[in-house]
Amino acid sequence: MQAAASAEAAGGRLARLHSNLCPPCAPAPAAAMVGHDGTSDLKYSQVNPRPLPDWSAAERATHERLMRRCFELARQAVDNGNCPYAGLLATAVNADGSGGEIVLEHCNGVYGKDGPGQYLGTPGRPDLTDHGEAGAIRAASALLPHDQLATLSLYTSTEPCAMCSTAIFWAGCPKMIYGTAGPARGALGNMDGYKDIESPYSGNYGIVCAPAAMGGRGIDSWRVLDGIPNALGETRTVIGPLLPEEGIDTHYYKEYWGVAKPAPDVETRWGVPVTALDGSFS
């Protein structure tokens, strides 16, 4: 009897703890859950990104230099034997173009292939979570004070998946700047010769990230990061796509996905044929 009473009391404490930690909430409307396909409550999205900031010429040049470094690292990831993605962390860029000092770089390492620009947990062991962005955050979290990490901007060669967007959220990075547009990466799967290494809306773009019109849930970097203050009180901002035509070239590199870069006379958007983009992305 005493044991039963004790168990009942413990159960009551657990219930109160759960109630405090996880207060009940009303179900969200379906439109708020899917996001970014015309039914979202957010103004900007992967399909309809915010225009790039009105940077000075010097400031833009620094952002582009950092993004092009991401593209170099994405190609290095392929050379290492992994996937064509990469990220880096850098100090803030000032209006006069100063700043933008690279603190840490990381190439995708999902197949466990070691090489330059990587922080593999166990070289030779595949790690499906070792994306360019998440890997960079993991490495930086072990090397830097967390309040410093929350001042750094994260640059990534391709718009990040939901996992990496969440890692960037927890790192507190006030700016996330991406190169290749997510829908462009997804559209590669509609091109002739595409290798089914990943289905068109899995992998970096992600079925979770894809708009509802494509059967996804719209949980992309805009929904996860944009407009939400970090622990230092600075509002997180998503910026991109920056240099998307150059960014998509990292996916054509060595025809990694089995698709070739379109001929110059092919009409493209974000570097992919418009015929490969679903109407939701036009």
Side-chain angles (χ1 to χ4, degrees):
M1 181 71 72
Q2 186 175 0
S6 177
E8 183 177 353
R13 287 195 298 272
L14 286 173
R16 287 193 296 275
L17 177 62
H18 181 271
S19 177
N20 290 335
L21 292 176
C22 308
C25 56
M33 295 296 289
V34 294
H36 306 340
D37 61 350
T39 63
S40 171
D41 56 343
L42 297 184
K43 183 175 182 180
Y44 299 109
S45 69
Q46 57 184 335
V47 177
N48 178 41
R50 179 192 295 112
L52 293 176
D54 186 20
W55 291 318
S56 69
E59 186 177 5
R60 184 181 182 104
T62 301
H63 287 297
E64 290 184 349
R65 170 178 60 81
L66 293 166
M67 186 55 66
R68 288 187 171 112
R69 177 57 183 161
C70 281
F71 299 156
E72 291 174 3
L73 291 167
R75 288 188 286 270
Q76 180 64 56
V78 173
D79 290 340
N80 291 347
N82 298 300
C83 304
Y85 306 102
L88 65 82
L89 289 156
T91 59
V93 177
N94 302 312
D96 63 359
S98 61
E101 297 174 1
I102 296 174
V103 175
L104 186 143
E105 302 174 336
H106 184 65
C107 297
N108 175 290
V110 297
Y111 293 122
K113 306 294 186 181
D114 204 2
Q118 294 187 258
Y119 290 86
L120 296 181
T122 306
R125 179 179 296 173
D127 178 356
L128 295 179
T129 69
D130 192 9
H131 294 192
E133 308 93 337
I137 296 298
R138 277 202 297 266
S141 296
L143 296 171
L144 303 174
H146 291 182
D147 56 351
Q148 180 185 355
L149 181 54
T151 68
L152 301 177
S153 299
L154 188 137
Y155 293 76
T156 174
S157 60
T158 297
E159 190 170 357
C161 68
M163 176 189 74
C164 290
S165 297
T166 306
I168 298 164
F169 175 90
W170 286 114
C173 299
K175 286 187 175 62
M176 189 280 287
I177 303 98
Y178 66 89
T180 305
R185 161 61 190 93
L188 296 178
N190 297 328
M191 294 174 64
D192 292 339
Y194 182 78
K195 294 178 185 177
D196 196 19
I197 302 169
E198 301 172 345
S199 65
Y201 296 102
S202 68
N204 188 280
Y205 183 37
I207 192 67
V208 173
C209 309
M214 300 303 299
R217 297 190 178 185
I219 310 300
D220 64 12
S221 59
W222 293 89
R223 178 172 290 281
V224 174
L225 296 167
D226 196 57
I228 303 175
N230 66 10
L232 302 181
E234 187 166 355
T235 300
R236 297 174 176 88
T237 304
V238 173
I239 299 172
L242 177 62
L243 304 174
E245 290 79 11
E246 293 182 36
I248 198 68
D249 281 351
T250 63
H251 295 281
Y252 296 131
Y253 181 62
K254 294 186 175 180
E255 296 192 6
Y256 180 85
W257 303 109
V259 297
K261 184 174 180 176
D265 60 344
V266 174
E267 183 184 0
T268 61
R269 184 185 182 199
W270 293 323
V272 297
V274 294
T275 53
L277 286 167
D278 179 81
S280 301
F281 304 144
S282 61

